[in-house]
Amino acid sequence: MKKRLLAVFLTAAMTVTLMAGCGVPGGSSDEGDSEGLKRVTYSLREEPPTLDPQLMNSIPSATAAIHTCAGLTRNVEGEIRGDGAEDWEVSDDGLVYTFHLRDGLKWSDGEDLTAEDYVYGIQRLMDPATASTYSFLGAILKNGNAVNAGEMEVSELGVTAPDESTVEITLEHPATYFTAMTAMSQFCPARQDLVEEYGQDYAADPDKAAYSGPFVVSEWKHGDEIVLAKNDQYWDKDSINLDEIVLKTVADAKTGVAMWEEGELDITEVPTEMTDQYADQSEFVFDGANDYLALNMSEGRILQNKNLRLALNYAVNREEYIQLATNGVYEPNTRYVLPDVNGSEEGTNYGEEFPYEAFPVAGDVDQAKEYLNAAMSELGYSDPSEVVIELLTTDTDLAKKQAEVLQDQIQEALGITIEIRQVTYKQRLEMEADKDFDMVFTGWVPDYPDAYSYLELWLTDGSYNHTSYSNPEYDELVIGSQTETDPKARAEMLFQAEQIFLQDAGVVPLQLRRIQLLVNDNIENFNVYFVGYNYNLVYADIKE
């Protein structure tokens, strides 16, 4: 028997509705032309690198996408609702999903939005010519890996449109979280005519794309701000209250706070050095980010040496790091998978089910030196100062502070040299993808609330494996989990894989990111969530 699904509910842990601050929302880029508009302006440290749905690879981009894209489904703080699809069915074996589109769907330019647009968007994600760093998500689709490797035509991907209002997706293996994936930008529809017209410039400016979601990009002043305007063609436009959302790039968090005080911003993060000053006016929320140092193990790279990677892990005093770098706002972390993703049983989370501390939270300098000595012997070094490792990070003040604390800790503990290199956020992402780094300060927010969202990254042939990590036992466990039908056994396989990854020192885990937000108290229904995006203003409103 087939199951008719109108909505699938996921955990809503870490969802927060925020009410703080003062003033009336409506800070604008162009003074005087916004009279009477309901507008909310929030700040970002870095501009979204891209608004091309299939190329998005960052939380700033993903957060913009939930406002401009209509996936087959929509993730509303863990509740999976129909968006472009009104309802859907899943075959008894869990492999075939049949999505039925709503009547009368339109693109923002008035063109009909059809099942073929969804099929094209997903095919584009997996087309090797697109070169999406997020194509690993499509490995779950039938023939996904073969298509992405160029071994099969994109037409052979497990996604078809039997008619204009039906999308049928076939998976390689069952996945209870798949409907959450169809809410992601990478699975959103794309306009083939515009992609072919603009090529690499598709979605690079407002007039080079059409939009399927609640808002459209009406203006993009690169390096400054992105203005989203309500999409009158959206199927649920009557539920959208805001006229505009402005994404303002403010690299310096202190400047952001000053702008909030002046009413120029409605939502902004408080820098950690100002946390006490605004404790009574703000909310603290975990945003789902698990930050770590990714270590490049590619051939010829110094961190191909496992003992050196272990030395770094034991050299870091995460308790001290959190106090010095974040004023105690973030939480020290010694494992890889976010503890708050779902466990194998309803109502549990992964961390409760599988508690784990891979490294001492305060570090162990003696152990670190033992690993360093072993590494130096293997690498042919006689003096620790000869060991030079570059730490790549972004060019924000917080990133600089974090890097300098780590630099001091590691150099003091091991006597090696850590050189900091700061670049723009977009450049950092590009250098990661090109494996042009020794170690990089980065992190991960789960795309869906399952441990697999973290562990699939480091499969030997994974398209997002930017560190060249490879362990056959790890691969066997992660791939085996794809077809394991017993939830407990599957979760145990994933936990074993996590342990192997950290025993190999695949990364240097650092922190769970807790952010302090100032939010205008006239904003209603603004939410923060830990899966796939940070801020949700789709259904927000402003008090009269």
Side-chain angles (χ1 to χ4, degrees):
M1 183 179 77
K2 291 186 176 181
K3 296 168 285 184
R4 195 75 168 176
L5 304 181
L6 295 178
V8 177
F9 294 90
L10 298 175
T11 177
M14 300 172 69
T15 304
V16 180
T17 300
L18 300 168
M19 299 289 175
C22 57
V24 177
S28 170
S29 54
D30 296 312
E31 296 297 333
D33 65 355
S34 60
E35 200 70 32
L37 291 182
K38 288 186 175 182
R39 170 189 285 112
V40 170
T41 301
Y42 71 84
S43 66
L44 294 168
R45 298 282 182 89
E46 301 95 358
E47 180 177 73
T50 180
L51 294 183
D52 182 330
Q54 279 73 49
L55 295 182
M56 289 183 177
N57 62 352
S58 68
I59 286 298
S61 291
T63 299
I66 69 164
H67 298 90
T68 60
C69 296
L72 291 165
T73 61
R74 177 165 293 275
N75 185 341
V76 184
E77 289 73 72
E79 177 190 344
I80 303 303
R81 306 176 183 175
D83 197 356
E86 187 169 22
D87 53 34
W88 55 93
E89 304 156 8
V90 185
S91 62
D92 289 340
D93 61 7
L95 292 178
V96 181
Y97 285 69
T98 304
F99 294 89
H100 304 281
L101 301 188
R102 300 177 188 278
D103 293 335
L105 291 178
K106 297 285 187 180
W107 288 96
S108 57
D109 62 0
E111 293 288 325
D112 290 339
L113 173 56
T114 70
E116 285 292 350
D117 295 319
Y118 282 95
V119 171
Y120 175 71
I122 298 172
Q123 289 178 337
R124 182 171 178 258
L125 170 69
M126 300 310 293
D127 188 339
T130 305
S132 172
T133 58
Y134 250 63
S135 61
F136 69 90
L137 288 172
I140 196 173
L141 305 175
K142 183 180 179 181
N143 300 330
N145 283 328
V147 169
N148 193 236
E151 298 166 0
M152 298 179 74
E153 296 296 321
V154 292
S155 59
E156 298 179 83
L157 188 67
V159 54
T160 62
D163 56 56
E164 285 191 352
S165 60
T166 306
V167 178
E168 186 174 278
I169 299 177
T170 304
L171 307 184
E172 286 282 355
H173 58 84
T176 58
Y177 49 80
F178 181 66
T179 48
M181 294 181 70
T182 60
M184 298 176 63
S185 68
Q186 291 79 11
F187 288 86
C188 281
R191 278 278 293 276
Q192 186 171 357
D193 59 331
L194 297 179
V195 171
E196 292 175 351
E197 179 179 356
Y198 295 112
Q200 292 183 344
D201 290 331
Y202 175 65
D205 291 295
D207 60 348
K208 293 182 173 66
Y211 306 93
S212 56
F215 293 84
V216 305
V217 180
S218 64
E219 187 175 1
W220 189 349
K221 298 177 182 177
H222 290 275
D224 182 13
E225 67 180 19
I226 299 172
V227 180
L228 309 181
K230 182 176 177 178
N231 179 9
D232 288 334
Q233 298 291 336
Y234 183 55
W235 70 269
D236 196 26
K237 64 181 180 181
D238 291 342
S239 299
I240 308 305
N241 302 299
L242 296 181
D243 296 300
E244 288 187 348
I245 301 171
V246 181
L247 291 62
K248 189 80 175 174
T249 302
V250 184
D252 179 51
K254 291 181 180 177
T255 300
V257 171
M259 293 173 68
W260 184 85
E261 291 277 15
E262 293 297 320
E264 298 173 31
L265 289 174
D266 300 305
I267 305 165
T268 195
E269 283 188 41
V270 178
T272 54
E273 61 267 32
M274 300 176 73
T275 189
D276 294 338
Q277 183 178 344
Y278 287 92
D280 294 336
Q281 297 173 262
S282 56
E283 294 282 348
F284 292 86
V285 295
F286 287 98
D287 69 359
N290 177 2
D291 294 326
Y292 49 83
L293 299 180
L295 310 176
N296 193 343
M297 299 165 234
S298 301
E299 185 71 30
R301 289 282 182 173
I302 193 170
L303 288 171
Q304 188 178 20
N305 185 277
K306 177 179 175 179
N307 282 315
L308 184 55
R309 300 196 304 269
L310 286 166
L312 293 172
N313 265 291
Y314 281 92
V316 175
N317 182 332
R318 292 163 178 84
E319 287 181 331
E320 180 185 69
Y321 161 80
I322 289 296
Q323 289 300 321
L324 295 175
T326 77
N327 198 25
V329 174
Y330 293 5
E331 184 174 301
N333 183 46
T334 64
R335 68 184 305 169
Y336 172 60
V337 175
L338 184 72
D340 294 275
V341 297
N342 293 349
S344 65
E345 299 178 8
E346 188 173 352
T348 66
N349 67 39
Y350 178 83
E352 294 170 343
E353 208 166 342
F354 301 104
Y356 182 44
E357 185 176 277
F359 305 102
V361 69
D364 186 331
V365 173
D366 291 337
Q367 186 72 65
K369 288 180 177 177
E370 286 186 29
Y371 282 119
L372 176 64
N373 289 335
M376 289 174 59
S377 177
E378 293 162 353
L379 293 168
Y381 291 111
S382 58
D383 189 303
S385 63
E386 297 173 350
V387 178
V388 180
I389 302 173
E390 184 179 85
L391 170 55
L392 176 67
T393 189
T394 54
D395 56 359
T396 66
D397 290 340
L398 177 60
K400 180 180 180 181
K401 187 175 183 179
Q402 291 170 327
E404 288 176 346
V405 171
L406 291 169
Q407 179 189 50
D408 289 345
Q409 283 193 350
I410 294 169
Q411 290 186 161
E412 183 175 347
L414 300 178
I416 66 176
T417 300
I418 302 296
E419 297 179 345
I420 297 172
R421 182 177 181 183
Q422 289 193 273
V423 298
T424 65
Y425 181 59
K426 183 176 182 179
Q427 187 178 355
R428 195 212 78 193
L429 292 175
E430 292 170 349
M431 292 176 70
E432 279 187 62
D434 293 338
K435 300 185 180 182
D436 184 15
F437 65 93
D438 288 331
M439 61 183 180
V440 56
F441 194 107
T442 186
W444 194 251
V445 174
D447 297 311
Y448 43 90
D450 189 274
Y452 190 84
S453 180
Y454 283 89
L455 297 166
E456 68 173 323
L457 303 184
W458 310 113
L459 290 168
T460 297
D461 59 356
S463 63
Y464 209 85
N465 185 350
H466 299 156
T467 68
S468 300
Y469 174 75
S470 180
N471 184 311
E473 187 179 1
Y474 177 91
D475 289 351
E476 183 179 354
L477 286 164
V478 175
I479 293 171
S481 74
Q482 297 172 353
T483 53
E484 177 55 63
T485 57
D486 180 78
K488 182 67 173 178
R490 175 181 178 274
E492 288 174 347
M493 293 171 73
L494 293 173
F495 179 51
Q496 289 178 46
E498 181 189 15
Q499 291 174 293
I500 290 169
F501 181 63
L502 290 171
Q503 288 162 5
D504 286 340
V507 296
V508 179
L510 293 172
Q511 63 197 16
L512 302 180
R513 198 183 305 163
R514 189 171 68 147
I515 58 175
Q516 183 180 3
L517 287 177
L518 291 168
V519 182
N520 190 305
D521 61 4
N522 287 303
I523 300 174
E524 299 179 313
N525 201 26
F526 163 62
N527 297 289
V528 176
Y529 188 52
F530 83 110
V531 175
Y533 62 86
N534 281 161
Y535 303 160
N536 186 353
L537 285 156
V538 170
Y539 301 109
D541 201 355
I542 296 171
K543 294 178 185 177
E544 295 294 337

